[in-house]
Amino acid sequence: MIYPVRLKSLFTFLTLLILTGTSYSLASSEGSTSESAHVFEGRTDHKKVVFTFDGGGARGYIQAVAAGELERRVRTLTDIDDLRLAECLDFVAGTSTGSITSSYLTCPDSDDPSRPRYSASSLVDYFDAHIHEVFQRSFLKRLKSLFGLSGPKFSSYGFEGLLNDLFGDTPLKQAVVPTAITTLELSDKDRGTRPLILTSFDANPADMPNSYADNFSEVSFKDACRSSGAAPTYFKPHRVPDNDGEIHHCVDGGVMGANNPVEVGFDYASILSRNKEEHLHDSDFSIVSFGTGKAPLYISGESAEGFGLAQWGLKMLPILLDAPSMLMEEKMAAQFPVDNPELEGCYFRFQPVLEEPIDLADTSPAALETLRKVAHDYIEANEDKFDHVACILAARYTAKQSEGTASSIHSEDDDDDL
């Protein structure tokens, strides 16, 4: 489907494509791009764009700022003020706070289900206004949990209220872009505890035998996000009903080693393309992976020699979340080396470094101001990378709109034949 109100801007941009041979130039202009023009030469509109969002609690503020900045730049390139970031994408995957970012981008509009409900640029404002509601605990709650020693630190009430406000009962299968949310099912039956990837599309168990999700097609956005965000010690596990009404207890997808879900996103996007017989290669994808800040983790080797369960217990969650993410960064960097011209524009990682650790649940004004500064400093230091990705997104948006136009024409022709 193509939106009539956008035809003028779309045709203007299509003309630009024809004249430039799908090369994009970001000229220096007020309020838009870097001082030195960035030119990305080459055809990019054929690339399937995959976005993935890491977990990280309140540090998800960083990825919200980055996503909003990309949307702003694409709007400038296309001259379409109401463009929404998800309209440039082919696949989205998220873990924990990244599942909320993913769902925020791909949840359908209630008035026009073919369009995203939210713009990426509005997510930062929502974070500012509501993130503190997620991590709520009364003094009574602290006492009951012995300050987190014998129960989750936080009540789920605020978290679930926020998700209900954002998504209501909207089923995940209505996502405007194929979406995957990671979680881990806890079970002492059948195959035991195992990864569970909740998807907006029908997943073939043969494709991902260790990450089944073949009986969850009716799961809602809010249940998927609540499950993926159930970080142990922070929130209690979430009960997710399958299509038969059976309850599954799920916890944070980061615990299964997918705090950085880039491999999940890439694998599932590849599977969908293969099932459509598109015969794509690595060079046919553009994968953009958003972190939540690489936090330093200080553990003295000498001190650790005397650690027992009590000492390691306090440090295990950061290790479980951060170490696999760093390993995944290395894996993807090796798979998409920057010195291979055939893979240019195929993999981007947005991950600033935090000077000091920030707790996943720290929503204090000081912490949020630090995250805001980290995000904006990172954007300023990586102008060319943001420009490059914006060009790819603009090209993909235009290609998708053209594909939609062609589909509409074919449908009208079919109707005429009846």
Side-chain angles (χ1 to χ4, degrees), residues 236-248:
K236 66 181 180 181
H238 186 56
R239 300 179 179 184
V240 182
D242 63 20
N243 294 348
D244 299 323
E246 183 179 350
I247 298 299
H248 301 255

Side-chain angles (χ1 to χ4, degrees), residues 67 70 85 88 103 147 163 203 220 228 274 298 328 368 415:
L70 284 173
L85 189 61
C88 309
S103 298
F147 296 88
L163 295 176
S220 65
S228 188
R274 186 171 68 240
Y298 302 114
M328 190 56 61
L368 293 182
D415 291 340

Side-chain angles (χ1 to χ4, degrees), residues 410-418:
H410 291 315
S411 298
E412 291 172 4
D413 290 343
D414 291 341
D415 291 340
D416 291 341
D417 293 336
L418 294 179

Side-chain angles (χ1 to χ4, degrees), residues 329-344:
E329 284 187 25
E330 296 293 330
K331 179 181 183 299
M332 293 299 292
Q335 186 170 349
F336 295 93
V338 294
D339 58 353
N340 185 341
E342 294 183 0
L343 297 176
E344 182 184 6

Side-chain angles (χ1 to χ4, degrees), residues 108-369:
D109 185 80
S110 54
D111 295 326
D112 183 357
S114 66
R115 291 206 70 200
R117 182 179 301 180
Y118 302 112
S119 67
S121 55
S122 67
L123 181 55
V124 173
D125 292 335
Y126 196 88
F127 255 95
D128 281 330
H130 300 286
I131 188 61
H132 65 279
E133 298 171 9
V134 175
F135 302 102
Q136 293 183 348
R137 55 176 173 172
S138 64
F139 183 70
L140 181 59
K141 173 67 176 177
R142 296 183 186 188
L143 287 179
K144 284 184 177 180
S145 67
L146 296 180
F147 296 88
L149 291 176
S150 65
K153 294 180 181 179
F154 301 101
S155 165
S156 303
Y157 181 79
F159 188 9
E160 292 171 2
L162 179 142
L163 295 176
N164 189 63
D165 179 58
L166 284 174
F167 309 121
D169 294 319
T170 307
L172 181 61
K173 67 181 181 182
Q174 292 183 7
V176 296
V177 174
T179 302
I181 304 297
T182 70
T183 185
L184 181 74
E185 182 192 4
L186 306 177
S187 178
D188 56 1
K189 302 176 182 178
D190 300 326
R191 295 193 303 183
T193 296
R194 52 184 171 170
L196 174 62
I197 312 297
L198 301 171
T199 64
S200 64
F201 50 90
D202 291 331
N204 185 346
D207 289 328
M208 287 288 187
N210 296 318
S211 305
Y212 79 108
D214 56 315
N215 198 30
F216 291 85
S217 61
E218 299 301 321
V219 69
S220 65
F221 276 99
K222 67 180 180 183
D223 278 333
C225 292
R226 174 64 180 83
S227 301
S228 188
T233 75
Y234 285 80
F235 297 104
K236 66 181 180 181
H238 186 56
R239 300 179 179 184
V240 182
D242 63 20
N243 294 348
D244 299 323
E246 183 179 350
I247 298 299
H248 301 255
H249 294 80
C250 298
V251 296
D252 196 303
V255 179
M256 64 178 249
N259 198 55
N260 176 352
V262 64
E263 190 169 41
V264 172
F266 184 36
D267 286 348
Y268 269 86
S270 300
I271 289 169
L272 283 180
S273 296
R274 186 171 68 240
N275 290 344
K276 294 178 182 178
E277 299 183 352
E278 293 178 324
H279 307 293
L280 301 182
H281 305 284
D282 286 1
S283 58
D284 295 312
F285 290 90
S286 188
I287 305 158
V288 186
S289 172
F290 295 83
T292 58
K294 185 179 293 184
L297 182 62
Y298 302 114
I299 300 177
S300 166
E302 292 183 359
S303 299
E305 292 178 0
F307 279 8
L309 181 61
Q311 293 86 353
W312 276 117
L314 297 174
K315 302 179 183 297
M316 284 311 296
L317 185 60
I319 293 174
L320 284 172
L321 297 181
D322 292 343
S325 294
M326 290 187 283
L327 183 62
M328 190 56 61
E329 284 187 25
E330 296 293 330
K331 179 181 183 299
M332 293 299 292
Q335 186 170 349
F336 295 93
V338 294
D339 58 353
N340 185 341
E342 294 183 0
L343 297 176
E344 182 184 6
C346 289
Y347 173 65
F348 301 87
R349 175 68 169 163
F350 292 104
Q351 177 71 314
V353 175
L354 302 176
E355 294 182 0
E356 296 292 336
I358 296 179
D359 188 82
L360 306 182
D362 191 349
T363 60
S364 65
L368 293 182
E369 181 57 35

Side-chain angles (χ1 to χ4, degrees), residues 5-85:
V5 294
R6 303 178 179 190
L7 284 174
K8 181 178 179 181
S9 296
L10 178 59
F11 287 132
T12 299
F13 194 58
L14 284 172
T15 303
L16 173 65
L17 299 185
I18 295 170
L19 293 175
T20 61
T22 61
S23 298
Y24 303 90
S25 174
L26 286 168
S28 178
S29 60
E30 183 178 355
S32 59
T33 58
S34 57
E35 292 183 1
S36 58
H38 171 83
V39 178
F40 177 61
E41 298 291 344
R43 186 174 176 81
T44 62
D45 59 327
H46 71 286
K47 286 184 181 293
K48 300 289 186 179
V49 180
V50 179
F51 268 26
T52 68
F53 297 93
D54 290 16
R59 297 195 332 237
Y61 193 95
I62 292 173
Q63 59 189 210
V65 173
E69 176 63 19
L70 284 173
E71 183 179 78
R72 184 188 70 79
R73 295 183 186 219
V74 177
R75 286 177 172 180
T76 299
L77 276 172
T78 59
D79 194 29
I80 299 175
D81 293 337
D82 67 337
L83 178 147
R84 291 177 180 169
L85 189 61

